[in-house]
Amino acid sequence: MTAASVPDKPALEGLEAKWGGSWEEAGTYRFDRSSSTRENIYSIDTPPPTASGSLHIGHVFSYTHTDVIARFQRMRGKSVFYPMGWDDNGLPTERRVQNYYGVRCDPSLHYSPDFVAPFEGGDGKSTKAADQLPISRRNFIELCERLTIEDEKQFEALWRTLGLSVDWTQTYRTIGPDSLVTSQSAFLGNVERGEAYQAMAPTLWDVTFRTAVAQAELEDKEVPAAYHRVSFLKPDGSTIEIETTRPELLPACVALVAHPDDERYKHLFGTSVRTPLFDVEVPVLAHHLAQKDKGSGIAMICTFGDVTDVVWWRELDLPNRAIMGFDGRIIAEVPEAIVSEAGQAAYAQLAGKTVFSAKQAVVELLRASGDLIGEPKPIVHAVKFFEKGDKPLEIVSTRQWYIRNGARDEKLRARLLSHGNDLEWHPEFMRVRYENWVNGLTGDWLISRQRFFGVPLPVWYPLDAEANPVFDAPILATREMLPVDPSSETAPGYAADQRGQAGGFVGEVDVMDTWATSSLTPQLAGGWERDPELFDLVYPFSLRPQGQDIIRTWLFSTLLRSELEHGMSPWKHAALSGFIVDPDRKKMSKSKGNVVTPAGMLEQHGSDAVRYWAASSRLGTDAAFDPMNPTQIKIGRRLAIKILNASKFILSFEGAADAPVTEPIDRSMLAGLAAVVTQSSTAFDNYDHARALETSESFFWTFCDDYLELVKERAYGETGPAQASAVAALRTALSTLLRLFAPFVPFATEEAWSWSNDGSVHRASWPTAGELATPEAGDPALLDLASRALTGIRRAKTDAKASQKTAVSSAVISGIASHVGLLTQAAADLQAVGRIAELTFVEGSELAVTSIVLATVSES
């Protein structure tokens, strides 16, 4: 790129298209492996946005934070590895495809090569499952592939408009072939080392999506419920009363439990009671988790009402009488423990009912039998939901795959905490959130999902003589087979016609949790096993930027996988962005319906303005956004326009940037700017981009409003040392300021830079204080004093109801001796800009214009 001419009327409009194309053509942000060493690389484990739907303002906020860091490091001389991934597998994509095409997956159906979706666009016809056309798994996955690719194109276009300095040759998809190989290979390593295992266990289950849910995906929501007081029959004919919000689970009751120190029930421990309606004998037991002050102080343990039931069931070694089906309905099969005719008849009235209907039925039965004491008491309590679901989770017994995460391994937990302690957190207070999560883990990471569009678990199971799967002897794929889909490909050592046959095999149909792939983003982006040379260069990564809300999921799971695979932390720094909140201080999210999409904003205000708004917020700090009055964005646009106009103005002066800077006010300005460079650089080094922006911006407005005004007459004047000094100082300052602002407003700075420089400002070196040094050191206080004096002169003219162009016969400026002595060095510039014929300085108590005499018409 060669220096361009300065336009007559600089404008922000069109700069995104102009420079976006230029950067791509020139490879401005391309990672050059050939010239990179481990020591000079700055690698970023960029968050792969979920490619299902549209980006929102929160994405613009956090990704801008990452980009300003990347741009700063690049200008600092680092070889920046800044890839982009797309998180395109998982439940959000499946839901979008269902609604967009009006279909749902039915794995029992055969593939149709000529399938055409009933419609496209998600116009609302497909919101109910009953209205969705069932299609084969393969047809469904093909639609997922098609839609995510289209979404990703739109996402990339928006990121380019925003000016992300991503290397677009370094991209990946979490469902792409390379990602499949990486995810499956890592899983096989986990199995081979004993870190991954399969177990039949109580599992948090979403009945809408019919899939298991991990601890990290839970969300507590307040919902209405009611306490039901129910009597159990003791052997002596008397009763004991419990209170429950889940009376529909009475058939699944396996014990009553009270606190070991509860005097009311101590005498009952070791005895048994019989359940109402179903007449099943259950023991009365003690456990420290029972709460004396909750309800009647004694609770029923059911398999399973909540996670506490699971703890009691496991620690008290109780039987499993699960009655909840995967569809959220009561299963038809009567629990073996219910043997009485009346009990079986009561159960028959529940079979096949939803939780809601079964609860109503049990309450009516209890009321009729006299075992319901009083009427239900309404309450509101917290219930666990899948973060993407809208119905309370149930707990069902399923066979699932898990990865050990330190919940039951103190040595692993200690290593994970040690990695968290060694990691540099920005801001530092986010560290405790990670530590709290690790210390609060209660179970290993459930990674299998009963979904379709995901990374297949590379496992088959042998079938015994009765064609039953032998789950304890899984058949693992070989590395050479990857990527592999066991649901359609043959197990090693078997023939295809042995699928489903006695003595043959059956393929695993579950897929991995999307986080099980996303937790490998350093490996995916860095080319682990695929490109060892690249991986050795970039790993461990320099930075993990992300939102604070996914510390427990993405950050933790990535750190876990890195510890298991490499025995080390995957990054050196973690940068956590805050939330975007609406004017009512509520977090913006799709589920709340208060999300703002950025495309219109970028078009209306310009990318630099939107980036300025985002960069004005520190890491870890929530930012309020009012789309009806985007004040910060308007300020950012004003700054970007001022950069263009100031650059044009400065470049209009004739002179050279390398001329000697001889005048005290010029040296003062450069000394002040040198301090700004130091402060901004330090702020960036501390991952405080907002402070870097604030420091540079504050100086810039003083520079434009005061220094430019003070020296413009001299810069326009006759050629000589004083004029050359002004022009050199102005051009030096412009070069420095454009580079200081380049990470924040890349389009305006690139445009202005191109008017007097070859190459891109984004490949220019970051400014240093040494560049601004002059043979004789300047005093930064002089510019401040001169600015205050100029303000006084302007105010005096305004008070006299005169134009700022009005000539002044004489003026007197007073101040303390040291100030007056310094100000005399700027006398000529003050006289020129103030049109003052005679300027006098006197000692006084404070800096002020104490006298001003306007020139007469004849004088002027």
Side-chain angles (χ1 to χ4, degrees):
M1 183 178 79
T2 56
S5 59
V6 181
D8 292 334
K9 293 183 179 180
L12 296 177
E13 286 71 26
L15 295 186
E16 291 88 352
K18 173 182 177 180
W19 290 114
S22 177
W23 293 332
E24 181 63 25
E25 183 179 351
T28 304
Y29 307 125
R30 206 152 295 159
F31 173 67
D32 183 4
R33 186 195 304 197
S34 63
S35 63
S36 300
T37 64
R38 187 69 193 90
E39 292 68 33
N40 81 328
I41 285 177
Y42 189 88
S43 48
I44 302 174
D45 183 16
T46 320
T50 301
S52 56
S54 59
L55 294 169
H56 57 76
I57 192 65
H59 289 104
V60 168
F61 183 68
S62 59
Y63 281 76
T64 298
H65 293 170
T66 305
D67 190 61
V68 296
I69 295 170
R71 289 179 177 278
F72 166 72
Q73 292 291 344
R74 192 179 290 111
M75 295 177 74
R76 262 287 176 92
K78 292 290 187 178
S79 180
V80 176
F81 181 70
Y82 187 12
M84 179 61 72
W86 306 114
D87 192 5
D88 38 19
N89 74 63
L91 183 58
T93 298
E94 291 190 21
R95 292 175 66 184
R96 175 158 160 73
V97 166
Q98 288 173 204
N99 291 330
Y100 192 87
Y101 292 111
V103 298
R104 58 184 171 84
C105 184
D106 183 346
S108 67
L109 298 178
H110 293 292
Y111 175 68
S112 171
D114 301 319
F115 172 74
V116 177
F119 63 89
E120 293 188 17
D123 57 3
K125 298 176 183 177
S126 57
T127 54
K128 295 181 180 178
D131 298 330
Q132 295 169 349
L133 178 68
I135 60 175
S136 74
R137 178 173 181 159
R138 185 174 165 190
N139 284 125
F140 185 75
I141 289 174
E142 286 179 353
L143 291 179
C144 291
E145 288 274 3
R146 183 198 307 174
L147 190 56
T148 53
I149 289 173
E150 290 305 312
D151 284 344
E152 286 155 15
K153 289 178 182 176
Q154 295 180 32
F155 284 17
E156 180 177 334
L158 189 141
W159 283 150
R160 287 179 180 273
T161 299
L162 183 64
L164 295 192
S165 59
V166 163
D167 179 356
W168 291 104
T169 67
Q170 304 286 345
T171 59
Y172 64 88
R173 303 175 64 229
T174 58
I175 202 67
D178 290 338
S179 297
L180 289 170
V181 172
T182 298
S183 298
Q184 291 183 334
S185 180
F187 171 78
L188 292 174
N190 294 139
V191 176
E192 291 158 1
R193 294 189 297 267
E195 298 154 359
Y197 63 92
Q198 192 183 44
M200 174 68 80
T203 305
L204 289 163
W205 187 266
D206 188 282
V207 299
T208 303
F209 303 113
R210 300 196 188 183
T211 185
V213 176
Q215 181 183 355
E217 300 169 301
L218 303 183
E219 182 178 302
D220 285 339
K221 295 182 182 179
E222 296 287 330
V223 298
Y227 271 131
H228 304 77
R229 198 170 187 94
V230 179
S231 62
F232 282 63
L233 186 65
K234 293 192 289 187
D236 63 4
S238 62
T239 60
I240 183 171
E241 297 173 3
I242 62 100
E243 288 192 357
T244 178
T245 60
R246 301 292 306 267
E248 71 277 10
L249 294 181
L250 267 171
C253 180
V254 292
L256 298 189
V257 63
H259 194 276
D261 299 331
D262 197 326
E263 296 294 338
R264 294 171 295 176
Y265 303 111
K266 271 187 175 182
H267 66 287
L268 292 176
F269 297 150
T271 67
S272 61
V273 295
R274 302 194 75 82
T275 63
L277 301 182
F278 306 101
D279 195 31
V280 175
E281 185 176 344
V282 297
V284 181
L285 304 172
H287 195 280
H288 69 278
L289 289 181
Q291 298 173 261
K292 297 181 186 181
D293 59 349
K294 185 174 182 180
S296 62
I298 189 166
M300 69 171 182
I301 304 174
C302 300
T303 51
F304 297 94
D306 56 25
V307 291
T308 307
D309 278 344
V310 176
V311 175
W312 282 331
W313 167 80
R314 182 180 292 119
E315 296 187 3
L316 297 173
D317 195 23
L318 297 169
N320 188 341
R321 293 180 189 140
I323 62 169
M324 190 64 61
F326 294 161
D327 58 357
R329 295 176 180 270
I330 307 299
I331 62 175
E333 184 179 351
V334 182
E336 291 182 0
I338 301 177
V339 295
S340 70
E341 188 175 327
Q344 291 179 347
Y347 188 86
Q349 296 187 51
L350 310 181
K353 282 185 164 59
T354 63
V355 169
F356 178 79
S357 298
K359 182 176 294 184
Q360 289 182 312
V362 169
V363 169
E364 289 307 313
L365 290 170
L366 288 170
R367 189 176 280 120
S369 69
D371 294 311
L372 181 67
I373 312 303
E375 288 301 307
K377 295 183 294 185
I379 62 165
V380 174
H381 66 165
V383 174
K384 296 198 178 300
F385 284 70
F386 177 32
E387 61 186 359
K388 296 178 173 36
D390 54 13
K391 288 185 179 179
L393 292 173
E394 295 296 342
I395 299 177
V396 299
S397 292
T398 60
R399 183 172 293 278
Q400 304 284 350
W401 281 95
Y402 298 83
I403 289 180
R404 302 186 192 281
N405 63 0
R408 300 186 179 93
D409 183 338
E410 286 300 323
K411 290 183 178 179
L412 176 56
R413 187 195 299 262
R415 292 198 300 274
L416 294 171
L417 289 170
S418 176
H419 290 320
N421 189 56
D422 293 339
L423 187 61
E424 294 285 341
W425 294 79
H426 309 285
E428 168 63 27
F429 67 79
M430 290 291 180
R431 183 193 309 274
V432 72
R433 301 192 185 187
Y434 170 80
E435 293 172 345
N436 289 343
W437 175 253
V438 177
N439 285 318
L441 289 167
T442 59
D444 286 333
W445 178 15
L446 190 159
I447 65 158
S448 48
R449 293 292 182 273
Q450 293 64 54
R451 301 303 302 174
F452 313 109
F453 190 51
V455 177
L457 287 155
V459 176
W460 298 260
Y461 306 100
L463 299 178
D464 62 17
E466 283 74 41
N468 295 313
V470 183
F471 291 110
D472 295 335
I475 305 164
L476 301 181
T478 64
R479 295 302 201 282
E480 294 71 29
M481 298 176 68
L482 306 183
V484 66
D485 183 356
S487 69
S488 59
E489 297 179 52
T490 304
Y494 291 83
D497 60 4
Q498 290 181 277
R499 181 183 293 274
Q501 302 300 311
F505 71 94
V506 64
E508 175 66 81
V509 295
D510 286 356
V511 298
M512 294 185 199
D513 166 25
T514 186
W515 291 112
T517 298
S518 296
S519 61
L520 296 168
T521 51
Q523 289 81 2
L524 296 174
W528 174 64
E529 293 191 337
R530 182 183 76 252
D531 189 343
E533 180 188 31
L534 175 63
F535 193 67
D536 289 344
L537 281 173
V538 302
Y539 188 92
F541 280 63
S542 307
L543 177 67
R544 156 57 70 86
Q546 65 166 72
Q548 58 180 315
D549 54 328
I550 50 175
I551 290 175
R552 73 186 196 279
T553 47
W554 193 35
L555 189 145
F556 169 74
S557 62
T558 309
L559 206 153
L560 169 67
R561 301 300 290 281
S562 184
E563 161 59 27
L564 296 177
E565 195 63 50
H566 311 289
M568 64 192 301
S569 174
W571 338 275
K572 298 174 183 176
H573 297 267
L576 290 305
S577 294
F579 295 132
I580 297 299
V581 294
D582 65 17
D584 296 325
R585 303 300 297 181
K586 294 178 181 177
K587 178 190 172 186
M588 285 192 176
S589 67
K590 291 180 181 179
S591 61
K592 290 185 172 67
N594 60 353
V595 160
V596 176
T597 54
M601 234 170 38
L602 292 169
E603 183 177 352
Q604 179 181 357
H605 301 286
S607 298
D608 281 343
V610 175
R611 288 174 62 99
Y612 171 89
W613 159 76
S616 297
S617 291
R618 286 174 169 78
L619 290 171
T621 302
D622 295 346
F625 180 71
D626 182 357
M628 304 306 294
N629 186 27
T631 304
Q632 256 333 70
I633 290 179
K634 292 177 181 178
I635 293 173
R637 182 174 175 83
R638 175 172 170 251
L639 172 66
I641 292 172
K642 188 67 174 180
I643 287 172
L644 294 178
N645 290 334
S647 299
K648 173 181 170 64
F649 184 52
I650 290 169
L651 294 174
S652 68
F653 300 123
E654 295 293 332
D658 57 355
V661 177
T662 58
E663 300 304 298
I665 191 73
D666 302 334
R667 295 198 300 265
S668 173
M669 181 274 293
L670 293 179
L673 183 53
V676 168
V677 168
T678 299
Q679 293 166 23
S680 180
S681 302
T682 300
F684 260 124
D685 286 336
N686 293 329
Y687 289 81
D688 190 353
H689 59 261
R691 176 62 179 159
L693 173 58
E694 179 186 345
T695 302
S696 299
E697 184 184 8
S698 177
F699 179 89
F700 176 72
W701 288 113
T702 298
F703 172 82
C704 292
D705 294 343
D706 297 331
Y707 177 74
L708 263 175
E709 289 298 310
L710 279 164
V711 303
K712 67 180 182 182
E713 298 297 331
R714 175 157 50 94
Y716 274 132
E718 294 184 8
T719 302
Q723 188 268 349
S725 174
V727 174
L730 284 166
R731 293 207 171 204
T732 299
L734 175 61
S735 171
T736 302
L737 287 166
L738 290 177
R739 286 177 285 161
L740 287 174
F741 282 124
F744 307 104
V745 285
F747 296 103
T749 51
E750 185 74 299
E751 174 72 6
W753 183 266
S754 74
W755 299 337
S756 59
N757 296 275
D758 293 335
S760 171
V761 69
H762 305 298
R763 282 293 184 178
S765 61
W766 184 253
T768 64
E771 295 175 34
L772 302 168
T774 53
E776 184 178 338
D779 187 338
L782 174 56
L783 177 58
D784 176 61
L785 292 171
S787 299
R788 290 161 59 190
L790 178 59
T791 299
I793 293 169
R794 288 168 170 167
R795 185 181 300 117
K797 287 187 177 182
T798 300
D799 291 344
K801 295 182 171 50
S803 162
Q804 295 300 322
K805 295 181 180 181
T806 302
V808 176
S809 297
S810 64
V812 177
I813 297 177
S814 68
I816 61 175
S818 60
H819 287 176
V820 167
L822 199 56
L823 261 181
T824 57
Q825 299 179 39
D829 287 320
L830 286 170
Q831 284 184 266
V833 72
R835 298 173 182 260
I836 302 170
E838 182 180 346
L839 180 60
T840 305
F841 296 94
V842 298
E843 289 191 28
S845 59
E846 60 180 353
L847 187 66
V849 177
T850 57
S851 172
I852 189 168
V853 178
L854 301 180
T856 63
V857 175
S858 59
E859 288 177 315
S860 59

